[in-house]
Every structure is written in structure tokens, then in C-alpha cells.
Amino acid sequence: MDLHTVTEVISPASPGQWRPGDAWLGGGTALFGEPRPHVSRLLDLTAAGWPPLTVHDDGVEIAATCTIAELAEGLRGHGIVRQCCHAFLASFKIWNVATVGGNLCAALPAGPMISLVAALDGTCVLIGPDSRERRVPAADFVTGEGTTVLRDGELLRAIHLSASMLSTRTAYRRGSLHRHGRSAVLLIGRADPAGGISLTVTAATRRPYVFRFPDPPSADEVEAALDTIPPDQYVDDVHGRPIWRRHLTRHYAAQIRTELAA
């Protein structure tokens, strides 16, 4: 797209180079998708040379610049990862350009990487312009449609997923108005080793909602938890009306509860 206000691209870029009017550049598929008149300079992170995936004893670190293709290939043994990657319904061109970090920072309700890292209790590693690092739970990173916890000049460096979360049993449900349409509802359930269940609601709502049950919940307990989502938090756009998204959320949640209980 034509970002005609951009006068300079810094490549590679580092945290200390940020100034007002800058935008961090990953794959660019979201950044270039709409006019951004306030952006005058791009700070290219893809040239920083961060390894896409770094495996540790306690889990895996996903660089913000890791592409969807690299994630799908590197963690292909984990079904929930591939399911969320395929939720993009995108061409191979997008898969090889769009980044995990970019999907989170765009903070669109239908962002499947948001669904993935929130459901697996990921941790986001953020770096400020003074190079100081802070960590926030992935479920809290997105605060609304197009908004995150990022402060001025802060960048998303990586997402950490623990080995224990990657090995848990999950259940996945996705709904759309069209076969190849954008996600209107995306729910992920996870069976915890201690016997509990977590349920993550995304796409239908403006931000992720994660519900944790210490023991396998009853149908009424799941319904009561979903009732805490404010009505105005359900997305209303051409991809689905709130009443339909709310209905489908409950329908999928019931299926996930039954599947994980089995």
C-alpha cells in the first residue's frame, strides 16, 4: 500500500532508535494494510537476525519476526499450532511474510496467533526504547480491537511457550460465515495435567477471554463463565453479528467441554 508519509526506513533497527512517528516493521502485511498518516519512518526488525525459534529445556521462544510458515514447520508436531496457522486461510505468500509478532501487535480479533499464545499461557517479552525488558502474559497483551499493552517505543521481541503447555491435550473450534472467510469465533480448550480445564475465547470478542476451571466443569459452570463476557465485547462487523457470535461461542464451548472431559 502507499504509505506516502514514510520518508526513511532504518534497517536493521534497534530499540534505542525509536522516536515519535516511527513504526516497527515485521512482515508488513498488517502495517501496509491501511493508511497510517502518523508514520514517517519504519524501523525494520526483520533484518535484526533473530532466530525464528529457539528451543530451551523449559520450552520454546518464538521470535516476533518468526513467519507463520517457519512456525508451522518448526512446531509441526503440535496440532494446535498448525490449526492456528491454517486459521489464516492465507496464500503461501502471506505464510512466508506475515509474522507471529505482527499478528499479535495488529490486535485484530480474528488474529489466530493471539488465540494460540493466549490459550497456551504464553509470555510476551517486550523491550522498551531504553532496552529494558518486561514480560506480560500473552492473554493480557491484547486489550481491545487494535490496542495492546505496548508503550511508546516498546517492541515485541518474542513469545515464550512452556514445554508443559505445548504437550497438553487441546480442543479447537473455529467458525466463519463463509468456508474461506475470516474467523468469527475461535475457541481453544486445554486439559491441564492437574485435571482442570481452560477455555480461551477469541475472534468473537474484542480481546481474548481465558476461563480456568480447577476441575472439569459442568455445562452450567461453563455457561456461567461465558455470561461474564460483557455484551458489548462481542464484535459487530460484516463477518458476523454479536448475537450469532455469542450463540456460536456457547455452542463450541459445550463441544469442547465434552471433548476434553472424555
Side-chain angles (χ1 to χ4, degrees):
M1 298 299 174
D2 185 14
L3 299 185
H4 57 83
T5 58
V6 174
T7 59
E8 188 178 7
V9 178
I10 306 299
S11 181
S14 60
Q17 293 174 294
W18 185 88
R19 69 189 187 195
D22 286 352
W24 299 108
L25 173 63
T29 56
L31 181 64
F32 299 151
E34 60 185 63
R36 300 181 187 274
H38 64 285
V39 175
S40 58
R41 196 171 69 154
L42 299 178
L43 302 181
D44 180 19
L45 295 176
T46 60
W50 300 337
L53 298 170
T54 304
V55 178
H56 302 285
D57 290 340
D58 62 344
V60 61
E61 181 177 274
I62 306 169
T65 51
C66 175
T67 66
I68 306 308
E70 290 170 331
L71 180 68
E73 175 61 24
L75 296 180
R76 62 183 181 275
H78 302 279
I80 190 62
V81 174
R82 290 199 63 84
Q83 286 173 314
C84 287
C85 287
H86 282 290
F88 275 95
L89 298 175
S91 69
F92 74 93
K93 293 181 180 180
I94 297 297
W95 263 47
N96 285 278
V97 175
T99 62
V100 175
N103 193 244
L104 266 72
C105 293
L108 299 177
M113 296 297 99
I114 300 171
S115 311
L116 175 68
V117 300
L120 295 184
D121 279 352
T123 300
C124 294
V125 181
L126 315 180
I127 301 178
D130 58 359
S131 297
R132 291 186 180 180
E133 179 183 298
R134 70 182 179 114
R135 294 171 178 255
V136 299
D140 298 332
F141 181 77
V142 174
T143 57
E145 282 188 85
T147 60
T148 69
V149 298
L150 287 171
R151 301 165 182 165
D152 284 347
E154 220 170 21
L155 63 88
L156 174 61
R157 169 61 182 86
I159 304 96
H160 182 269
L161 299 179
S162 71
S164 61
M165 289 296 103
L166 281 168
S167 62
T168 54
R169 187 163 59 97
T170 58
Y172 170 96
R173 295 294 188 280
R174 175 187 174 276
S176 174
L177 283 174
H178 309 285
R179 181 179 179 185
H180 298 296
R182 178 179 293 183
S183 298
V185 181
L186 202 163
L187 272 67
I188 298 175
R190 192 187 74 232
D192 294 325
I197 285 177
S198 72
L199 178 68
T200 300
V201 178
T202 56
T205 52
R206 303 181 189 281
R207 66 168 180 84
Y209 283 85
V210 181
F211 302 100
R212 305 177 194 280
F213 305 94
D215 300 299
S218 66
D220 288 342
E221 287 174 325
V222 172
E223 283 284 336
L226 295 176
D227 282 341
T228 64
I229 300 177
D232 63 358
Q233 283 298 300
Y234 282 95
V235 178
D236 184 2
D237 61 16
V238 296
H239 302 288
R241 297 305 180 198
I243 190 171
W244 175 71
R245 293 179 193 256
R246 183 178 182 273
H247 166 74
L248 207 55
T249 295
R250 279 158 168 68
H251 177 64
Y252 286 157
Q255 290 183 347
I256 287 174
R257 185 193 75 86
T258 301
E259 180 177 333
L260 293 181

